[in-house]
Amino acid sequence: DGGTWWGFSTATAAWTIVTREDFEGTFPQPGWSWQDRSTYDGGEFLIGKRDCNVDAGTYSGWMVGGGANGSALTCGDEYLNNHNSWFIYGPFDTSAATAGYFDFDFYVNSQAGSDLLIAVVTDGTPESGPWYGYGFSGSYAWGSSAIDLANSLCGSGTYDCLGLPSVYVALYFYSDASL
């Protein structure tokens, strides 16, 4: 047409999904571990694969619905005081990453301001952290959130979690000694 011809190409960001846990198949998926870090709740309460209050599919994870004592809870039971239940993934390598997110869906029904579902990240160790992230308490219907690994959450909150050889992400549920 007598004008300049332009060539175009499209590029798609090549995201690598490091892990996925939807509670539908084998639980937990490789790389995930659980811990009950409470010595005050009177038993073993771990995350459990349950058919209670499911968002999509058949199952979801209940932060106190597994373990020797948690598996005896029925849907609708209240959690006890002094829980400290962890669900941890890692380590994974972010050395070549230029972006990264820890995406999760959650439902919370807890004592507002005191009992929390917390999403965290560290480049320390699972046992000692330091862990940094965000907490949710009160009553939330199913929602979604994400931790941007480019935020200053590693190194005791001084640098981002990209470009590191060993990073962990976790969800944990904490309840205090009241209600």
Side-chain angles (χ1 to χ4, degrees), residues 104 106 108 110 115-119 134-138 140 144-146:
F104 54 97
F106 66 98
V108 175
S110 69
D115 300 343
L116 304 165
L117 173 68
I118 304 170
Y134 310 103
F136 306 88
S137 71
Y140 286 85
S144 298
S145 191

Side-chain angles (χ1 to χ4, degrees), residues 1-178:
D1 64 2
T4 303
W5 288 89
W6 295 88
F8 294 96
S9 63
T10 60
T12 303
W15 285 96
T16 300
I17 297 174
V18 175
T19 188
R20 181 177 310 239
E21 179 58 81
D22 62 6
F23 303 97
E24 292 302 321
T26 301
F27 172 78
Q29 292 291 319
W32 286 94
S33 62
W34 56 78
Q35 297 175 2
D36 179 347
R37 293 188 181 178
S38 174
T39 57
Y40 302 106
D41 63 11
E44 180 186 62
F45 296 90
L46 303 168
I47 188 170
K49 175 180 172 176
R50 303 294 292 269
D51 61 359
C52 305
N53 196 20
V54 176
D55 180 40
T58 305
Y59 299 100
S60 65
W62 186 11
M63 290 301 292
V64 298
N69 300 93
S71 59
L73 296 174
T74 61
C75 296
D77 280 351
E78 294 183 1
Y79 59 86
L80 303 174
N81 296 338
N82 298 305
H83 284 297
N84 194 345
S85 176
W86 287 73
F87 192 45
I88 302 168
Y89 180 79
F92 59 97
D93 187 343
T94 65
S95 294
T98 57
Y101 297 90
F102 173 32
D103 298 320
F104 54 97
D105 296 333
F106 66 98
Y107 179 99
V108 175
N109 187 13
S110 69
Q111 181 187 4
S114 297
D115 300 343
L116 304 165
L117 173 68
I118 304 170
V120 290
V121 63
T122 189
D123 65 330
T125 66
E127 293 75 27
S128 61
W131 294 93
Y132 284 86
Y134 310 103
F136 306 88
S137 71
S139 295
Y140 286 85
W142 277 101
S144 298
S145 191
I147 291 180
D148 185 348
L149 299 180
N151 287 343
S152 296
L153 297 171
C154 285
S156 297
T158 59
Y159 51 83
D160 69 49
C161 300
L162 301 175
L164 302 175
S166 181
V167 175
Y168 294 85
V169 294
L171 294 171
Y172 79 94
F173 178 69
Y174 166 82
S175 66
D176 66 7
S178 67

